[in-house]
Amino acid sequence: MKLPSFPFFKSKDAIAVDLGASSIKIVYLKHSGSKYSLARWELIPVSDGSVELSPQDRKNIATTRIGEFLAREKIATKNVISSISGNQVIVRYVKFPKLSYEELTKTIQFEAEPYIPFDIREVNLGFHTLGDVIEEGQKKMETILVAAKKEVVQSRIDIFNDLGLRPIIIDVDAFALTNAYELNTDPSVMETVVLINIGASVTNISIVENRIPRVVRDVFISGNSFTKAIQRNLACDTKTAEDLKLRHNLLVTVEEKEKTLADNQKEALQVSTAITPVARDLVAEIHRSIDFYISQNPDRSINRILITGGSANLKNLDKYLSQEIKLPVEVFNPLKNVYGGETVPENFATHLSIAVGLGMRRENDIIKK
Ligand SMILES: Nc1ncnc2c1ncn2[C@@H]1O[C@H](COP(=O)(O)OP(=O)(O)OP(=O)(O)O)[C@@H](O)[C@H]1O
Ligand SMILES: [Mg+2]
């Protein structure tokens, strides 16, 4: 016999799991008053890129290691929140006819079809309306439309079901990033920021204007691109290239380069020379995003850039981006405004940005207003 569910037992808690290419990040946030506190966190290494892992390998590693974490930490909640990004998800800004939320929910498949390059029956759809606009004399709603292939979402869900967990939200990295930014920004601050989460295989770029994401893109210049450039230029294996990347700086100023030369630090020079073109490619992608944002309204401008993700730890990357883009660039710590967040070293905290943004979500909170 199946017992009815008891609403007074319903847990609002959930753990957030960010399944990254190089590591799995788990964050368990609890509400305390108007603030969040960090109940648990974990960073589980998966791959340094030296061995090619199949999706099945990744699934097995995730199931085993998350299972171990849950058992060890005695986590009571079964609710889990996770996300997808990169090629797995399509985000489009579209203007739909003015409809109520309920009406759009009913007709979304029909309305979304022209914007989705897949069979509409094979995708999960989500939307978030930003506000009304007038176009060609008609009242329309500016809407963020999100689509992901059902099989991709299902493969995420399967991992958690295998662990006896209950996936309550599968979000998109870029929106989790916006949440993490919001959590750490004074509500009175009005600004436009470029949020850049630089991971191992993907970089999420979002331009957020007064807390509303206006541009959302994923590009594939990220940590692995730096490692591969070192590997190619220094003719070494992936593991060595990865170690060299962690050890050396991007040389930005003429003085830094001259000093390194004078000290005869050949390896440091070689590494910087190898990775500078990758940093330049990243700059081009950031410029492209900013240009796109400004092209929609020339009065727009950017106040600052926040970089996060593991690759934000690349020494001097902030300085390089700032010099090239001519905007202030800061490394973003998603736990700055979270009780207990100070116990996490900053170079670890940057890896947790997506997981922190996911950890703030709760059931029935589809996409935050
Ligand atoms: N000190 C450092 N200097 C340079 N790169 C670093 C440093 N520390 C970590 N990284 C890089 O950060 C990347 C991992 O970051 P992160 O955990 O955000 O990625 P991920 O979430 O696993 O990957 P993805 O988001 O692409 O799926 C790796 O490429 C790693 O080499
Ligand atoms: Mg990531």
Side-chain angles (χ1 to χ4, degrees):
M1 191 185 81
K2 194 169 176 291
L3 285 173
S5 62
F6 297 102
F8 43 86
F9 276 162
K10 194 168 163 186
S11 166
K12 282 243 165 244
D13 278 357
I15 57 163
V17 179
D18 170 17
L19 297 165
S22 74
S23 61
I24 298 168
K25 275 73 75 174
I26 305 177
V27 165
Y28 188 12
L29 291 182
K30 292 202 173 196
H31 254 305
S32 28
S34 62
K35 268 192 118 175
Y36 284 94
S37 65
L38 183 65
R40 298 275 205 296
W41 70 280
E42 184 76 314
L43 196 151
I44 303 169
V46 171
S47 163
D48 64 1
S50 56
V51 182
E52 196 72 37
L53 294 174
S54 70
Q56 188 59 43
D57 293 336
R58 290 188 172 276
K59 190 175 173 200
N60 294 344
I61 295 171
T63 316
T64 310
R65 302 298 304 276
I66 298 169
E68 286 166 4
F69 167 82
L70 295 173
R72 186 176 66 242
E73 298 291 331
K74 301 188 175 57
I75 305 282
T77 182
K78 296 283 174 215
N79 296 337
V80 62
I81 301 166
S82 191
S83 61
I84 50 176
S85 70
N87 292 331
Q88 303 168 325
V89 62
I90 293 168
V91 179
R92 293 273 182 278
Y93 283 73
V94 294
K95 295 185 181 85
F96 283 140
K98 178 102 183 100
L99 296 170
S100 70
Y101 178 84
E102 290 71 25
E103 283 168 331
L104 187 54
T105 305
K106 275 191 211 140
T107 56
I108 187 71
Q109 281 225 340
F110 173 75
E111 296 290 351
E113 183 145 29
Y115 303 97
I116 307 298
F118 305 124
D119 184 338
I120 202 79
R121 289 163 303 187
E122 286 172 13
V123 295
N124 287 111
L125 293 168
F127 66 87
H128 175 62
T129 52
L130 295 174
D132 292 347
V133 284
I134 303 285
E135 197 182 62
E136 292 156 4
Q138 286 190 327
K139 216 174 185 185
K140 295 198 170 172
M141 304 185 297
E142 197 175 7
T143 308
I144 307 178
L145 175 67
V146 183
K149 282 225 173 131
K150 282 183 180 164
E151 62 192 49
V152 171
V153 177
Q154 191 57 47
S155 71
R156 278 282 192 271
I157 290 174
D158 289 345
I159 293 175
F160 301 117
N161 283 341
D162 286 354
L163 285 159
L165 295 173
R166 180 171 164 262
I168 55 170
I169 295 172
I170 304 290
D171 201 347
V172 174
D173 278 2
F175 300 130
L177 189 59
T178 309
N179 266 6
Y181 158 75
E182 214 175 312
L183 171 68
N184 288 284
T185 309
D186 190 302
S188 65
V189 173
M190 302 303 258
E191 63 173 0
T192 300
V193 287
V194 186
L195 305 180
I196 309 177
N197 176 52
I198 318 167
S201 68
V202 66
T203 291
N204 319 110
I205 304 178
S206 298
I207 301 186
V208 179
E209 180 189 302
N210 301 333
R211 280 154 203 77
I212 297 170
R214 292 288 175 188
V215 175
V216 171
R217 290 179 68 214
D218 288 340
V219 300
F220 299 94
I221 298 157
S222 48
N224 290 345
S225 320
F226 289 109
T227 308
K228 281 192 191 130
I230 297 171
Q231 196 183 343
R232 256 195 325 270
N233 280 256
L234 280 80
C236 57
D237 60 32
T238 310
K239 177 88 188 65
T240 311
E242 180 76 18
D243 290 346
L244 286 171
K245 180 178 76 173
L246 304 191
R247 214 165 336 124
H248 292 293
N249 298 7
L250 193 60
L251 300 172
V252 178
T253 61
V254 175
E255 296 77 44
E256 278 169 5
K257 286 176 198 162
E258 280 173 355
K259 178 154 188 342
T260 314
L261 198 62
D263 294 348
N264 203 19
Q265 294 181 36
K266 263 202 189 141
E267 193 181 78
L269 273 174
Q270 278 178 313
V271 170
S272 179
T273 306
I275 60 180
T276 300
V278 180
R280 206 177 294 135
D281 289 347
L282 187 60
V283 166
E285 289 296 352
I286 300 168
H287 268 309
R288 192 170 298 169
S289 306
I290 294 176
D291 290 350
F292 175 70
Y293 170 72
I294 293 185
S295 72
Q296 296 169 348
N297 177 351
D299 293 338
R300 287 174 161 179
S301 64
I302 307 284
N303 298 91
R304 58 185 179 134
I305 296 177
L306 298 177
I307 59 170
T308 193
S311 298
N313 294 308
L314 181 69
K315 289 183 225 65
N316 265 351
L317 181 61
D318 51 348
K319 200 162 143 189
Y320 179 82
L321 296 179
S322 181
Q323 178 184 282
E324 296 297 310
I325 306 176
K326 300 187 176 49
L327 281 171
V329 177
E330 295 156 50
V331 176
F332 172 73
N333 177 343
L335 294 170
K336 203 180 67 188
N337 209 11
V338 172
Y339 285 124
E342 67 287 351
T343 59
V344 183
E346 185 155 276
N347 58 332
F348 280 102
T350 55
H351 290 258
L352 302 180
S353 295
I354 300 298
V356 169
L358 294 174
M360 295 163 61
R361 289 247 197 261
R362 288 297 173 260
E363 205 169 0
N364 305 330
D365 153 34
I366 308 299
I367 286 187
K368 277 183 58 203
K369 269 272 169 204

